[in-house]
Amino acid sequence: MQIYSSKEAKWQKQFKQTKVKFLKFPLFILDSLKIKPNHVTIFGLYSGIGLIAFGYFTVAVFTQLICDLLDGALAEKQNSHSLEGSKLDILSDYIFVTTAAIYWWVISNTHPSLLLTYLALIHFQNYLQISLNKEKKETGIVLRPRISILIIQVLNLNGIISTTLAVNLTLLAVTTMLIQVTCLLAKKQKTR
């Protein structure tokens, strides 16, 4: 469970309510079929990885993003938030983002240091966020650059932007993550 600043908590509550309203029809179908949010999370992960394995990277990213959007909205609709579901969602994101990053690295032939830095920052950022949450400390608004990096990868692999531009945009997102990690680490040091 996340502990956010009061501003982000208010924004997230509004966003969750908007998601449920916007996704009313698919949520009705999923709820009618007695599908649980964890089922959607697992489906998104397996189908995303399967699609990447067969070379359908763009479809995989959008499938994962839609399932990630649906599982949270379904949990909100069914009022079935759980710690296990939250951990499964985080694990699913880790596995998919790692798989997508490795696939993009192999296809685009980017430098491995970018991939390793990106993956290390994702894991460290989430570790710090979870650690601060356990200590019941507000973390403030933390942007999620992972989504922008997935979109950059999709644009690059579809030939819409060059690999050079994709790498530069990814470096910008990684720099943003580095700043966030540094701020979270400073906050963690203050709590000791």
Side-chain angles (χ1 to χ4, degrees):
M1 303 303 180
Q2 302 280 1
I3 308 290
Y4 297 109
S5 68
S6 55
K7 286 182 184 178
E8 189 172 12
K10 182 180 176 184
W11 179 84
Q12 283 209 349
K13 184 177 180 183
Q14 290 172 344
F15 180 68
K16 285 178 184 178
Q17 291 168 349
T18 303
K19 271 198 312 187
V20 171
K21 286 179 187 174
F22 180 71
L23 298 169
K24 198 174 201 171
F25 182 67
L27 292 176
F28 171 76
I29 292 171
L30 292 170
D31 199 31
S32 298
L33 295 171
K34 306 275 190 254
I35 294 175
K36 300 294 180 201
N38 290 349
H39 299 149
V40 177
T41 304
I42 292 167
F43 173 79
L45 175 62
Y46 284 141
S47 60
I49 289 174
L51 287 164
I52 286 175
F54 287 104
Y56 297 104
F57 187 82
T58 303
V59 178
V61 168
F62 286 106
T63 300
Q64 174 65 14
L65 291 176
I66 289 168
C67 287
D68 198 31
L69 189 67
L70 278 173
D71 66 4
L74 188 61
E76 189 72 21
K77 180 176 177 29
Q78 294 177 349
N79 197 21
S80 61
H81 294 283
S82 69
L83 187 57
E84 294 79 21
S86 178
K87 287 179 180 177
L88 180 64
D89 191 42
I90 290 170
L91 180 63
S92 170
D93 286 348
Y94 278 170
I95 294 170
F96 182 78
V97 166
T98 302
T99 304
I102 291 169
Y103 179 84
W104 180 66
W105 170 64
V106 169
I107 297 297
S108 65
N109 198 25
T110 56
H111 200 277
S113 62
L114 178 62
L115 170 77
L116 295 174
T117 304
Y118 167 53
L119 294 176
L121 284 170
I122 285 174
H123 296 291
F124 194 48
Q125 182 181 25
N126 280 311
Y127 162 76
L128 289 169
Q129 184 88 29
I130 290 166
S131 176
L132 287 165
N133 290 343
K134 285 181 182 175
E135 296 170 11
K136 308 285 191 228
K137 300 291 180 191
E138 290 187 348
T139 58
I141 295 174
V142 178
L143 300 173
R144 278 67 173 185
R146 284 176 282 195
I147 294 174
S148 60
I149 291 175
L150 285 171
I151 300 300
I152 290 165
Q153 292 168 347
V154 165
L155 293 173
N156 175 234
L157 292 179
N158 284 301
I160 297 169
I161 62 174
S162 69
T163 300
T164 304
L165 180 58
V167 168
N168 288 331
L169 290 172
T170 302
L171 282 169
L172 181 63
V174 166
T175 303
T176 304
M177 291 176 71
L178 185 58
I179 292 166
Q180 291 173 357
V181 165
T182 304
C183 292
L184 288 171
L185 191 55
K187 184 164 269 211
K188 175 125 177 90
Q189 293 300 323
K190 284 181 186 178
T191 61
R192 290 183 176 181

